[in-house]
Every structure is written in structure tokens, then in C-alpha cells.
Amino acid sequence: ELYALGFMECLSSFFPVYPAGTALSRSLVCEAAGTKTQLYTIFSSLLLLIVILWVGPFLEALPKCILACIVVVALQGLFMQFKQLKPLWTLSKFDFLVWIVSFLATACCDVTQGLAISVAFVLMTVVFRCQW
């Protein structure tokens, strides 16, 4: 994961993109907080270190289902994207299909395979858009 993150940061430095920090859940929290630079990574990493060192032992006794609920609540914004499908269909059918294919590929396959299928499908739709 660290290799992939480092490669992505090097590659994305050539484009005006939103900088990702680490996991999707932390990136969503940072986006909701309005971060604009990579400086937030230092602060969030320090906060994560404090939680792991001092709060972590208190969370060790919790069952895994409780910890899973914490993750699901943190990803609530991601799950709320289902409401955006109907307006996306009317706005762009290609983007709607990209969303559906990416979701189904990631849900049915491994995350890595889902990402590869999604990227291949996006490249295919770009070719179709250029041809039309």
C-alpha cells in the first residue's frame, strides 16, 4: 500500500488533483474537512499515532462487529453516493455506467481486480467518446 501511495503521489504531482493521504476513509474525512494540501497528512498521522499508542489498548477488548460498525459509520458519505445515481443517469450515461461497472467489479471481485476492471472500462469509454 505504501508503494502504491508513493507512486500515486509522484504521478499525481504533474496534475491538479486532490491529494490522497492514505485509506479511502481518511481521504473522505479530509475532503469533508476541506483540506487543500498534503500538510494534513502530518497532523492526521500524529493523531493516528496518539490513538494507536494510548487509546488503542482500550479498543482491544471490543468485538470486531463493533469496530466494523465504526468503519461503516465513517464511510457513510461513500454509501450516500447511491442517491446521486438518478441525477447522474440524466447528466451522463457514460459516467453512470462507469460508476456501476466500478462498483460491481469492486464488490464482486477483489479490490485490485475491481480497480483494474474499472480503469480498463474508463479507458474504453474514453475511446468511445473520442470516436463519437
Side-chain angles (χ1 to χ4, degrees), residues 4-84:
L5 184 63
F7 179 72
M8 189 265 321
E9 291 295 336
C10 291
L11 188 64
S12 68
S13 66
F14 297 107
F15 305 101
V17 298
Y18 175 75
T22 52
L24 180 62
S25 58
R26 286 181 61 197
S27 295
L28 287 173
V29 168
C30 293
E31 182 186 11
T35 58
K36 302 285 187 223
T37 66
Q38 288 290 350
L39 191 59
Y40 80 91
T41 307
I42 295 171
F43 296 113
S44 66
S45 297
L46 287 174
L47 183 62
L48 185 63
L49 180 67
I50 290 170
V51 168
I52 288 173
L53 292 178
W54 288 288
V55 181
F58 297 116
L59 299 176
E60 187 177 9
L62 289 176
K64 289 187 180 184
C65 63
I66 300 296
L67 296 175
C69 290
I70 293 171
V71 171
V72 168
V73 168
L75 293 174
Q76 182 180 8
L78 184 66
F79 293 127
M80 297 304 285
Q81 287 183 354
F82 283 107
K83 291 182 179 179
Q84 297 174 357

Side-chain angles (χ1 to χ4, degrees), residues 82-91 96:
F82 283 107
K83 291 182 179 179
Q84 297 174 357
L85 284 179
K86 188 174 180 181
L88 187 61
W89 173 258
T90 58
L91 185 67
F96 177 81

